[in-house]
Amino acid sequence: MGNVVSRPADVLRLAVVVGALGVVFGDIGTSPIYTLQTVFSPTDPHPVPATSENVLGVVSLVFWSVMLIVTVTYVLLAMRVDHDGEGGIMALITLLRRWAARGSTRITMTLAGLGLFGAALFLGDSMITPAISVLSAVQGIEVVNPSFAEWVVPLTVVIIVGLFAAQRFGTAAVGRLFGPVMITWFTAIAACGVWGVANEPGILAALSPTYAISFLAGRFELAFFTLGAVVLAVTGAEALYADMGHFGRRPISVGWIFLVLPACTLSYLGQGALILQDRANLSAPFFLLAPDWALIPMVVLATAATVIASQAVITGAFSVTAQAAQLGYLPRLRIVHTSRSTYGQIYVPRINWLLMVAVLALVLTFRSPTSLAYAYGMAVTGTITITTILFFYVAWHTWHVPRWALAALAAVLLTIDLLFVAANLTKLAHGAWIPLVIAVVAYTVMTTWQRGLEVVAARRAAMEGSLRTFVEGLSPPDAAVAVARGTAIFLNRGRDTAPLALRTHVERHHVRHERLAVVAVEIDVAPWRTDEDRVTVVHLGPGDAGVTHVTVRFGYAERPDVPTALARHVPEQTGRHLDLEQATYYLSRVEIRLGDEPAMPAWRRRLFVATSYLAADAAEHFGLPRDRTVLLGARIDI
């Protein structure tokens, strides 16, 4: 009986692992396509001679970099820190924001800002990943026939345009195929790796850390520059942590340790063995590792795997921008939920087309994965280093382990991370500046929006005045103010002030509704809120003449559907009848204009006003019925 009961649970766990393989590991799982090819590329500013000692040293360095950064830093350590089940750099930021709100030290706020820069670097990563991944896979047709070389860039452009055009349909339909395709991918690259190792078993010596250490110690100048390309082996490590909320720590850990890590390791070993056999294989060791009969299927499979990898990072960019908007770092963005069953499947049109333009620009500018690799490493190492710093800060304050052990481990891992960062800084003139510029621009926009919101909120609060004082003026009913039948719901940003729309409606039109509710929408630093604390109802003023104040709370990862939340929770908490099915919703629309706000430089004021035009329609954002929504405006100069 016990076996019968356990089988459905086992099947469910297996399904989660397969799902994680399809979504989480696409980026890091396609790294073998271009990592060793980039390391030994003759076009690299600091080329590595393909001697036997160098090949063994580089392969060993790749293997142990993956072990220390991915397995130790992320799988064994970082994934043990979560925020209500959510992982990734945004989860660490929200933890630090919560501490800062409780009056923590300045260093906490500084680290939260550093984390925001890491999130901005991730946006740069999401632009480079589709470009380098798809370009690397399509370049495999050159191995099939060198005359196809001129078709690499055009085919890449077609695939990328198709990929971004398909985003509006969502990944629900094709998502079921991702897991099996990636399982096939990892099985194939592992099999090719075994074939390569069988022909040159001596490559197995690279599994010993002594070769990596000897390469670093004996040829440090050469090895240091090599790190700029070796880091490509750990691209996608942040995805393991960021997607923890969707799949859980255990399925991701199981998928990594039992399939992804062995498959990638065998591929790197096989490629190293191939290079040891013949230095002519340096041009495309990944594809040359496949038998002749399997070359075309491998190119097709690699293209499918890189599209999946790109899909995962594009979805990640949608999630990061949506969460940033909910936390007040960006204006409200139009978000389309493409799945009725999975909340995380979203589509953000403005971000989608911005990413597509950026990716196409990178492809058409660099035209080869080797050139793009110099830009890619900077984004990856920056994000990894910032995540490591934030993780150890959180662990230092929350874990009950000896401080000396944490300090020693942090010193080792951060030294490795900073070596990678320093090595990629040497590539600044060759493209590494691109993700830094993208990150600086994104960071500037987000911090400017956050500061501008603070200024606008202060001026808006002064215009709105006290809600309780305003309600007291409505009770007892004033004969000069007519009472209209029905229910009116006024959305507001806070609990204490009167909505601008309500004040305008009463003072200018001299009318109020018989049933009146003020709804304050709060976005929490937690990703989800439970039904138990979703809604709080407070009655302001005596009798029916008073106002019902409702606070509706959503997590930053939730869609703020106000009518649904009110319908589910308000009737059971209030004795006053609110006809929610026929209620009219009122929104306060604020027009922001350039002024002379001394707290912000002129250029930041202009940037804030320009960014405000990206804001999505508030009625759509809060899920309000179009035919029962009224907008009343006001102007605020900044």
Side-chain angles (χ1 to χ4, degrees), residues 139-152 295-296 299:
Q139 198 177 45
I141 64 174
E142 292 185 31
V143 180
V144 177
N145 190 331
S147 65
F148 291 162
E150 62 183 20
W151 291 98
V152 170
L295 187 54
I296 294 178
V299 172

Side-chain angles (χ1 to χ4, degrees), residues 361-436:
L362 289 171
V363 169
L364 295 173
T365 300
F366 287 89
R367 306 184 71 85
S368 78
T370 302
S371 300
L372 267 172
Y374 309 144
Y376 201 15
M378 195 70 251
V380 173
T381 55
T383 304
I384 289 173
T385 303
I386 292 172
T387 298
T388 305
I389 292 171
L390 299 190
F391 158 73
F392 275 107
Y393 182 79
V394 172
W396 183 273
H397 289 277
T398 58
W399 284 17
H400 301 289
V401 297
R403 294 289 181 87
W404 64 265
L406 273 179
L409 189 57
V412 172
L413 294 179
L414 282 174
T415 298
I416 295 171
D417 292 344
L418 291 173
L419 274 174
F420 278 114
V421 170
N424 277 275
L425 287 174
T426 65
K427 312 286 187 181
L428 280 177
H430 305 281
W433 58 271
I434 292 176
L436 291 178

Side-chain angles (χ1 to χ4, degrees), residues 489 491 519-523 529-537 550-555 558-574 578 580-581 585 621-625:
I489 296 176
L491 267 67
V519 176
V521 178
E522 293 185 355
I523 304 299
R529 293 304 296 256
T530 61
D531 288 343
E532 288 74 15
D533 61 351
R534 175 76 66 191
V535 168
T536 300
V537 177
V550 183
T551 302
V552 185
R553 303 176 186 86
F554 298 98
E558 295 181 283
R559 179 186 179 187
D561 189 338
V562 173
T564 300
L566 294 178
R568 287 182 180 176
H569 302 286
V570 169
E572 62 192 40
Q573 296 192 38
T574 178
L578 296 175
L580 297 175
E581 293 185 0
Y585 291 85
H621 180 75
F622 293 115
L624 306 184

Side-chain angles (χ1 to χ4, degrees), residues 51 225 348 401 587 592:
T51 64
F225 292 117
V348 186
V401 297
L587 287 170
I592 302 172

Side-chain angles (χ1 to χ4, degrees), residues 106-143:
R106 180 177 294 181
I107 189 173
T108 303
M109 300 177 65
T110 302
L111 288 176
L114 181 64
L116 188 62
F117 186 76
L121 274 172
F122 178 78
L123 294 178
D125 185 4
S126 64
M127 296 176 186
I128 301 173
T129 294
I132 190 172
S133 298
V134 177
L135 200 55
S136 299
V138 176
Q139 198 177 45
I141 64 174
E142 292 185 31
V143 180

